[in-house]
Amino acid sequence: MGHHPVGLGYSSVLAKRPCDFLHIDTICLQRLYALVFLEDHTRRLYVAGVTAHPTAAWATQQARNLPIGLGMRIDSLRFLIRDRDSKYTDAFDAVFQAEDVEIIKTPVRAPKANAHCERVIGTLLREVLDHMLILGKAHASQVLAEYQRHYNAHRPHRARDQLPPQIEEQPPPVDATASRRLLRSRVLGCLINEYRYAA
């Protein structure tokens, strides 16, 4: 954000979901925060929400909303990896513990222990946020939602043999020899291009 958090000693095949806060500065110099979750074994990204005031109560509500946003149950997970930010309270942890998800707290000042989440936040910055002027909370939410769709449904991932996280939900690929017509879709104001063969 290795295939497993440094020093934690858990196998990478176990279902883990690291989380962390991403900060976004708007054109009006307002700082916004987004809570980001990453499913470790599939690399599926979920941006839980955007706020200017990331309180403990807000973070807990995003945790409660997580299964709805993902369209899945939390009980498919075994571990939640998080840092020791004060916004992660006992109430936040209890949402996951109720589903028998073990909370793993990273060591103090050890970002490598949550490397997968740190890496996806860096990807968000490099591929999108460093190249766009964000107007406000609604704009940030729209941009992050569109990038989340691109990241999960289209963007290739080296750890997954250049396949996107939601490849099982995609239509079967068209044989390139049967059609040489390549279609381009522009994403986020032409910042990102997606390519596919025409049917």
Side-chain angles (χ1 to χ4, degrees), residues 24 26-28 30 32 50 133-142:
I24 307 160
T26 71
I27 194 171
C28 297
Q30 178 189 26
L32 301 173
V50 178
L133 295 175
I134 300 298
L135 304 178
K137 179 183 171 183
H139 186 216
S141 297
Q142 178 186 3

Side-chain angles (χ1 to χ4, degrees), residues 11-17 39-41 76-80:
S11 169
S12 61
V13 300
L14 298 176
K16 299 177 292 203
R17 184 175 295 280
E39 193 169 79
D40 187 65
H41 64 292
S76 65
L77 305 174
R78 292 294 169 261
F79 305 102
L80 178 83

Side-chain angles (χ1 to χ4, degrees), residues 112-126:
K112 289 183 179 179
N114 199 1
H116 288 161
C117 206
E118 294 286 343
R119 183 174 180 181
V120 78
I121 287 173
T123 299
L124 269 163
L125 293 171
R126 287 187 301 272

Side-chain angles (χ1 to χ4, degrees), residues 137-173:
K137 179 183 171 183
H139 186 216
S141 297
Q142 178 186 3
V143 167
L144 291 174
E146 181 63 14
Y147 185 77
Q148 175 184 297
R149 183 209 60 78
H150 165 75
Y151 186 94
N152 291 334
H154 189 83
R155 187 182 185 278
H157 294 264
R158 187 168 51 185
R160 292 177 50 79
D161 296 324
Q162 303 301 328
L163 298 174
Q166 294 177 332
I167 188 63
E168 67 281 353
E169 300 171 23
Q170 304 300 314

